[in-house]
Amino acid sequence: MSKTAADIMEKNVITAQKDTSIFDLVDMFVENNVNAIPIVQDDKEIIGIIAVADVEKTTVNLLGANIYYGNLKEYQQGFKKLFACTAEQLMTKKVIMAGPDATIEDLASVMVAEHLKAIPIVKDKKLLG
């Protein structure tokens, strides 16, 4: 019998709220050594997800554009804007999720096809792992 998502999922998932700042998100990624952080409402319903790459892309794109194409004042304003960002502004809203009964083979197939490092496991729209 094949193992399922429920068998292998991380049960103590690090999550954030939509108003979590980019500072806090970076801290969460580093302190917890995770590749993705689900963004949840108070009832644990997923409303989005942020991957490490999302934070890296935002940082590189914003700073790169300002360094090469703007003056110092624009750079400073862009830098301040970057750190004013919240999870809601960065998150992917169309989250690919799976149920606890999904097989490892199914999870792996979706992860490879969609270039994902993590898939939230949900039941009745609530985050399980």
Side-chain angles (χ1 to χ4, degrees):
M1 183 174 194
S2 183
K3 285 192 174 190
T4 65
D7 297 324
I8 63 166
M9 69 183 184
E10 174 62 48
K11 292 169 181 63
N12 297 317
V13 181
I14 303 302
T15 63
Q17 301 284 314
K18 66 181 179 181
D19 61 348
T20 303
S21 73
I22 193 166
F23 279 127
D24 291 336
L25 288 166
V26 170
D27 285 344
M28 293 167 74
F29 279 117
V30 172
E31 290 173 8
N32 298 288
N33 194 29
V34 294
N35 292 321
I37 298 175
I39 309 304
V40 297
Q41 300 186 82
D42 291 332
D43 62 357
K44 293 287 188 187
E45 182 176 342
I46 293 182
I47 58 172
I49 194 165
I50 297 177
V52 170
D54 295 327
V55 175
E56 290 170 349
K57 276 191 279 186
T58 301
T59 305
V60 170
N61 288 342
L62 179 63
L63 295 179
N66 284 322
I67 288 170
Y68 293 110
Y69 301 112
N71 62 33
L72 182 58
K73 185 175 181 178
E74 289 172 340
Y75 170 77
Q76 289 170 330
Q77 290 171 340
F79 195 76
K80 286 179 185 175
K81 182 180 177 184
L82 170 70
F83 291 106
C85 265
T86 63
E88 185 173 29
Q89 295 166 315
L90 291 173
M91 70 185 184
T92 299
K93 293 179 177 123
K94 292 184 179 179
V95 183
I96 296 173
M97 299 177 259
D101 56 345
T103 66
I104 293 175
E105 293 82 8
D106 290 340
L107 293 174
S109 177
V110 171
M111 291 174 79
V112 169
E114 299 295 329
H115 308 286
L116 302 174
K117 293 185 180 183
I119 296 179
I121 306 303
V122 298
K123 185 173 183 179
D124 300 325
K125 298 184 181 181
K126 306 293 188 236
L127 181 65
L128 298 177

